[in-house]
Amino acid sequence: MANRTISFKIYRYDPDRDAKPYMQELSIELDPTDRKLLDALVKLKAQDDSLAFRRSCREGVCGSDAMNINGKNGLACLTDIDSLAQPVVLRPLPGLPVIRDLIVDMTQFFKQYHSIKPYVVNNTPAPEKERLQSPEQREELNGLYECILCACCSTSCPSFWWNPDKFVGPAGLLAAYRFIADTRDEITNERLDNLEDPYRLFRCHTIMNCVDVCPKHLNPTKAIGKIKELMLSRAV
Amino acid sequence: MNIAKRNFDAVIVGAGGAGMRAAVGLAESGLKTAVISKVFPTRSHTVAAQGGVSASLGNSEPDDWRWHMYDTVKGSDWLGDQDAIEFMCKQAPEVVIELEHYGMPFDRTDDGKIYQRPFGGHISNFGEGKPVRRACAAADRTGHAMLHALYQRNVRANTQFFVEWLALDLLRAADGRVLGVIAMELESGELTLFQAKATLFATGGAGRIYHSSTNAFINTGDGLGMAARAGIPLEDMEFWQFHPTGVAGAGVLITEGVRGEGGILRNASGERFMERYAPNAKDLASRDVVSRAMVTEINEGRGCGPNRDHVLLDITHLDPNIIMTRLPGIREISIQFAGTDPIKAPIPVVPTCHYQMGGIPTNYNAEVVVHGEAVPGFYAAGECACASVHGANRLGTNSLLDLLVFGKSASQSMIEYIRRLPAAQPEIPQAEIDRTLARLARLDGQKEGADVHETRLAMQRTMQNHAGVFRFKEMLAQGVGKILAIAEDVAQIQIRDKSKVWNTARMEALELENLIEVAKATMVSANARTESRGAHVRDDAPDTPEHPDGRDDASWLKHTLWYRDGNRLEYKPVTLKPLSVDSVPLKKRAY
């Protein structure tokens, strides 16, 4: 890859300085080794240290650098810079309050995650060794436990935009099913009760934006479908 | 300036594996506990660990904690303290089972037990037997699964988190006891004093002192910088692990578990060169051994690619189903960062800075120890601490184990200490607070100072060139001068952004002030240690009959202690006596 210049339009807002948000046009020359959008952001920040964004692992496992990239949510560290149409338009994740630039307030997102009791509950006295689980039972957790809580899915979901306080959202529901599906967990009924509500679960209208944007290729819609099935089967 | 103050029984700085394991213990004991983290807990770098956590569960074949202990001492090149190593290896099965009970989604064997895979240096029968499957794994996402399970357990325990707060300095009383930390809330830029009866640093490593690193951006050695500024020495900082398999160019980690599942390293002619360097363990020799072999291959012209600057990690001979089920994350990383699907073509890899063996000196109770005495109220665990269980070279999967064992041990020590303490605590001396305020005021007022980005880059390049996989007498001596000069630049770094709100420029400047302490400690300690041992190998300490592999036990079987004040070194003996078993006698390492 040769040296090339990439142009950007980036959402800027510092409440300490700006009366209101604005889109800033910027460009940066990249080195041949710069591959990902995050590489470009780090270079932009070297040029202007006031550009604020979260980042950490730079390999798609910590979930810090989720943002809206040319209209679609994704992780900057997993997005090939050369795949993007220019100017690359960067905005904070939609639907959450903006703190500054590309940094959003994720309180509501985590509140929903916490609301599903995101931990295995097993009140049977623990054995001295591990609780046994067959490879097939363990396989049920694949596609669920890998979530990195980046919020790309929930903040691309219109139902979550309208009711972030009432609808658990795709990330929280994926986590809910992760614990329902775990053979070691003993409170499936309580978990289903917790979700049996016109908003918490049933605001999902299978728009499937979540599946489209998940950087880990997970499928919250499928998990939500399984929760709905379980509710139906226990109702009859 | 009026600064808010909050009181706790215990304050934990850092929400990676060690901090969160300690938090579980403290919160479940009912003590008022705060966890301060500069990132949301599940974004801590433990999340990036891949291959496994070691424990002699023996789920696939017989294993014994004594064998694990032997392998760890040998891996450490005998620099590890054998009391701490015994403590860790003996506790391993218990803490791993606890983690399973917390809900960790380990992979499973056919009979439903925790799945274990082979890993570098894991051998049966005191190094004499066959490789043993000891690495407990959740696919190649063990760290992610573990960190989330620990966070989830903390949610259950109602642990109080202060998320996106940056701890700035350790607060000490005139008599030296630790009273807590001063920290900044990133969202508001406001300061708060966190006063606590017991303070735990679990701040992780500082791999970002190097230019090419598997470490996250956040691994800036904050705990080490704070400790060094507060007069605490840093131990064995010359020992840095270069992981054999970072993706060439990108630095992203490819787990040793790839070789555990059958992956092979090849040079330009396709040769499995590890057979020449480690005839028995081959690709699963200790990390320092494999990294040196790779660099030797590259230096002698047998590297791959147009610049002959890397070797290849080959798993094309493995069943694609094994790759999809046991190594799915690796496949994704390889496609993303090397542009290669490892099912079809090998992955280009180079040794990459990965892990800091040294750190804040502790004992196996996670108490910080200076001059043979515990510093009252101060604890450290995980990568920021030096217990020392890793000595001169860490075995793969012992890092995650370290977090669990010493996180738990720290919580137990702190609970005991807090319950013994009288209710009344000394006031925080104003001078302690002023020290931090002066640092912040200097940064905000600095004009025509050095640029943070440029200065950090200069430090990282100097560390890479002067203190890498192979070290050279002249380069180390020059490196000391260069790093000390860069430290002078750091003392007058400048930021342009002065906003109160989520000021990442200020944060990066403060992180650089921590990194530079680690860089100084590393370079000065490495320059002084004139032997080769584990990950520290220098040209003027070659393999001789008198000093096999350049190791000089008569002069150098001792821990380095670097003090920031006066930039000086002291040494302390290695603990060769374990707690209950016989000492592992000194021997030349061979794999």
Side-chain angles (χ1 to χ4, degrees):
Chain A
M1 205 71 65
N3 284 19
R4 65 266 193 229
T5 300
I6 308 279
S7 60
F8 290 88
K9 278 177 88 168
I10 302 183
Y11 179 99
R12 300 299 306 267
Y13 175 58
D14 174 3
D16 209 20
R17 198 180 51 193
D18 305 320
K20 57 177 200 242
Y22 61 99
M23 295 302 288
Q24 184 183 34
E25 293 187 17
L26 292 164
S27 66
I28 191 80
E29 191 182 319
L30 297 185
D31 291 324
T33 49
D34 292 324
R35 204 184 171 99
K36 301 294 179 185
L37 171 58
L38 183 61
D39 299 329
L41 281 170
V42 168
K43 279 218 159 70
L44 280 166
K45 186 166 179 62
Q47 191 174 280
D48 172 4
D49 69 2
S50 73
L51 177 63
F53 53 92
R54 295 185 176 105
R55 84 284 179 269
S56 182
C57 75
R58 61 81 164 86
E59 57 189 67
V61 69
C62 80
S64 298
D65 63 350
M67 54 189 72
N68 188 267
I69 305 158
N70 281 350
K72 187 175 172 184
N73 291 351
L75 299 182
C77 61
L78 292 186
T79 301
D80 284 325
I81 187 79
D82 294 307
S83 72
L84 298 171
Q86 295 183 45
V88 178
V89 180
L90 299 181
R91 294 175 180 275
L93 289 176
L96 294 175
V98 176
I99 299 174
R100 176 175 174 176
D101 296 347
L102 300 172
I103 295 175
V104 291
D105 180 350
M106 298 183 74
T107 307
Q108 194 60 254
F109 172 78
F110 288 121
K111 209 169 162 181
Q112 291 297 359
Y113 174 67
H114 293 155
S115 79
I116 60 96
K117 290 200 175 177
Y119 40 83
V120 167
V121 178
N122 186 319
N123 294 318
T124 309
E128 214 168 283
K129 297 267 175 98
E130 62 267 58
R131 292 196 161 96
L132 299 179
Q133 193 171 51
S134 71
E136 294 71 30
Q137 290 171 329
R138 167 59 183 79
E139 209 178 313
E140 292 298 313
L141 307 183
N142 286 347
L144 305 171
Y145 82 95
E146 302 94 323
C147 172
I148 58 174
L149 299 175
C150 65
C152 280
C153 59
S154 293
T155 62
S156 69
C157 172
S159 298
F160 190 76
W161 295 340
W162 305 139
N163 296 105
D165 53 335
K166 294 183 193 150
F167 175 49
V168 172
L173 291 168
L174 184 88
Y177 187 63
R178 177 249 174 274
F179 293 100
I180 290 170
D182 196 321
T183 51
R184 297 169 297 177
D185 187 86
E186 291 178 331
I187 58 161
T188 296
N189 263 324
E190 187 188 318
R191 292 184 186 282
L192 295 177
D193 291 346
N194 175 286
L195 298 172
E196 193 143 27
D197 170 284
Y199 284 94
R200 286 182 62 70
L201 173 72
F202 289 101
R203 278 286 131 169
C204 169
H205 298 307
T206 56
I207 300 165
M208 294 182 71
N209 283 358
C210 53
V211 182
D212 190 36
V213 299
C214 177
K216 305 309 285 184
H217 316 300
L218 308 179
N219 190 332
T221 307
K222 191 171 153 201
I224 292 167
K226 293 213 170 166
I227 299 174
K228 287 179 177 168
E229 272 174 37
L230 283 172
M231 273 185 191
L232 275 175
S233 66
R234 94 174 165 159
V236 291
Chain B
M1 189 174 177
N2 205 7
I3 301 172
K5 188 167 117 180
R6 306 185 71 131
N7 283 286
F8 294 91
D9 291 317
V11 163
I12 298 171
V13 184
M20 287 215 283
R21 180 59 189 82
V24 168
L26 283 156
E28 290 184 348
S29 80
L31 291 172
K32 193 178 172 196
T33 305
V35 182
I36 300 171
S37 175
K38 64 179 178 178
V39 294
F40 183 79
T42 62
R43 321 227 187 278
S44 306
H45 193 54
T46 302
V47 80
Q50 297 171 353
V53 50
S54 50
S56 56
L57 299 177
N59 282 355
S60 294
E61 62 245 324
D63 198 1
D64 190 311
W65 68 262
R66 293 164 195 87
W67 301 348
H68 185 187
M69 175 178 170
Y70 180 90
D71 293 344
T72 303
V73 174
K74 178 183 173 186
S76 83
D77 216 350
W78 276 267
L79 192 70
D81 287 325
Q82 296 194 20
D83 55 346
I85 294 174
E86 174 180 336
F87 184 83
M88 178 177 81
C89 297
K90 208 172 177 175
Q91 284 235 335
E94 180 185 313
V95 294
V96 167
I97 294 297
E98 267 171 3
L99 189 64
E100 194 281 328
H101 293 164
Y102 292 172
M104 166 93 173
F106 282 111
D107 286 358
R108 298 290 168 157
T109 61
D110 287 340
D111 51 0
K113 295 178 185 168
I114 294 172
Y115 168 76
Q116 298 185 280
R117 61 161 56 111
F119 237 77
H122 296 192
I123 299 161
S124 62
N125 199 21
F126 302 100
E128 301 293 324
K130 288 186 174 155
V132 62
R133 282 168 279 186
R134 188 181 291 149
C136 311
D140 51 2
R141 306 185 179 99
T142 311
H144 170 278
M146 177 167 147
L147 191 68
H148 281 253
L150 286 171
Y151 177 67
Q152 290 157 359
R153 185 72 181 191
N154 274 291
V155 172
R156 180 176 179 164
N158 273 318
T159 303
Q160 193 175 0
F161 286 99
F162 290 82
V163 174
E164 295 178 334
W165 284 68
L166 180 67
L168 301 175
D169 274 302
L170 193 64
L171 301 168
R172 299 182 76 179
D175 64 3
R177 90 176 83 172
V178 165
L179 302 175
V181 293
I182 180 167
M184 177 188 280
E185 184 185 36
L186 294 172
E187 184 172 344
S188 65
E190 298 293 337
L191 300 178
T192 293
L193 302 172
F194 288 81
Q195 182 154 14
K197 294 173 186 163
T199 301
L200 171 66
F201 275 10
T203 54
R208 284 276 160 175
I209 63 169
Y210 284 91
H211 189 242
S212 171
S213 172
T214 64
N215 282 198
F217 281 102
I218 58 169
N219 288 23
T220 54
D222 299 338
L224 285 83
M226 288 189 277
R229 281 193 297 276
I232 307 285
L234 302 181
E235 179 176 345
D236 291 343
M237 292 305 296
E238 61 270 46
F239 297 100
W240 283 85
Q241 179 163 82
F242 287 79
H243 195 290
T245 55
V247 174
V252 176
L253 174 70
I254 299 283
T255 174
E256 192 167 296
V258 170
R259 283 170 282 139
E261 297 287 350
I264 291 170
L265 291 164
R266 299 188 189 282
N267 62 17
S269 57
E271 183 204 3
R272 183 180 193 180
F273 58 85
M274 279 313 300
E275 289 180 329
R276 279 188 276 119
Y277 296 88
N280 295 316
K282 300 187 180 96
D283 301 89
L284 284 177
S286 242
R287 287 180 180 172
D288 56 335
V289 173
V290 179
S291 282
R292 277 195 292 277
M294 290 167 69
V295 172
T296 303
E297 290 298 298
I298 293 166
N299 287 348
E300 292 179 357
R302 293 187 292 278
C304 306
N307 301 322
R308 298 191 167 267
D309 57 0
H310 59 264
V311 301
L312 295 173
L313 175 59
D314 186 4
I315 52 171
T316 55
H317 53 286
L318 297 188
D319 176 354
N321 282 328
I322 292 284
I323 298 175
M324 304 290 264
T325 53
R326 300 288 185 213
L327 305 167
I330 286 311
R331 178 167 181 246
E332 190 75 23
I333 283 175
S334 182
I335 292 169
Q336 280 279 353
F337 293 96
T340 300
D341 183 345
I343 291 176
K344 296 179 192 136
I347 313 166
V349 290
V350 284
T352 306
C353 172
H354 181 57
Y355 188 85
Q356 158 198 307
M357 266 76 74
I360 300 167
T362 63
N363 57 24
Y364 59 84
N365 295 317
E367 297 166 317
V368 175
V369 175
V370 179
H371 291 134
E373 306 235 352
V375 178
F378 193 27
Y379 302 80
E383 191 170 344
C384 76
C386 183
S388 143
V389 283
H390 310 304
N393 171 67
R394 174 173 70 76
L395 282 197
T397 69
N398 269 353
S399 57
L400 291 186
L401 178 61
D402 173 348
L403 308 183
L404 294 175
V405 169
F406 295 106
K408 179 177 179 179
S409 165
S411 71
Q412 291 171 336
S413 303
M414 291 164 80
I415 291 166
E416 256 179 59
Y417 175 78
I418 291 165
R419 297 208 163 128
R420 277 202 320 265
L421 266 195
Q425 284 295 294
E427 279 299 305
I428 297 165
Q430 188 58 38
E432 286 287 286
I433 303 166
D434 289 345
R435 195 166 52 113
T436 307
L437 296 182
R439 213 151 61 84
L440 293 171
R442 199 283 307 156
L443 184 59
D444 276 352
Q446 182 76 47
K447 293 194 174 71
E448 290 166 25
D451 177 78
V452 173
H453 181 78
E454 295 297 327
T455 310
R456 185 175 52 213
L457 206 54
M459 173 195 68
Q460 290 170 333
R461 292 204 167 122
T462 303
M463 294 309 298
Q464 197 79 29
N465 294 334
H466 292 261
V469 173
F470 283 108
R471 296 169 175 186
F472 303 89
K473 185 177 185 227
E474 298 299 319
M475 291 293 279
L476 285 167
Q478 285 172 20
V480 171
K482 283 189 179 181
I483 280 295
L484 293 178
I486 292 167
E488 287 179 22
D489 289 341
V490 173
Q492 43 112 30
I493 39 172
Q494 177 188 354
I495 52 173
R496 297 179 290 273
D497 180 8
K498 314 283 184 183
S499 173
K500 291 281 276 179
V501 179
W502 246 105
N503 189 324
T504 47
R506 183 179 292 125
M507 183 172 176
E508 288 188 25
L510 294 166
E511 289 172 333
L512 179 56
E513 292 186 354
N514 294 326
L515 281 168
I516 194 67
E517 299 301 339
V518 180
K520 280 193 291 184
T522 299
M523 201 62 96
V524 171
S525 304
N527 184 49
R529 184 177 284 270
T530 53
E531 66 157 354
S532 295
R533 183 185 298 270
H536 175 68
V537 166
R538 33 191 300 164
D539 67 329
D540 55 340
D543 185 21
T544 62
E546 195 192 353
H547 298 305
D549 293 330
R551 198 176 86 195
D552 179 0
D553 290 323
S555 307
W556 286 104
L557 186 61
K558 57 188 181 185
H559 296 294
T560 308
L561 293 166
W562 174 83
Y563 287 82
R564 179 175 184 266
D565 273 354
N567 195 26
R568 69 194 162 83
L569 298 174
E570 287 179 8
Y571 293 91
K572 70 173 181 183
V574 174
T575 305
L576 295 170
K577 194 175 160 18
L579 297 169
S580 72
V581 293
D582 289 339
S583 181
V584 178
L586 287 159
K587 200 174 157 186
K588 178 182 158 74
R589 270 165 97 217
Y591 284 99

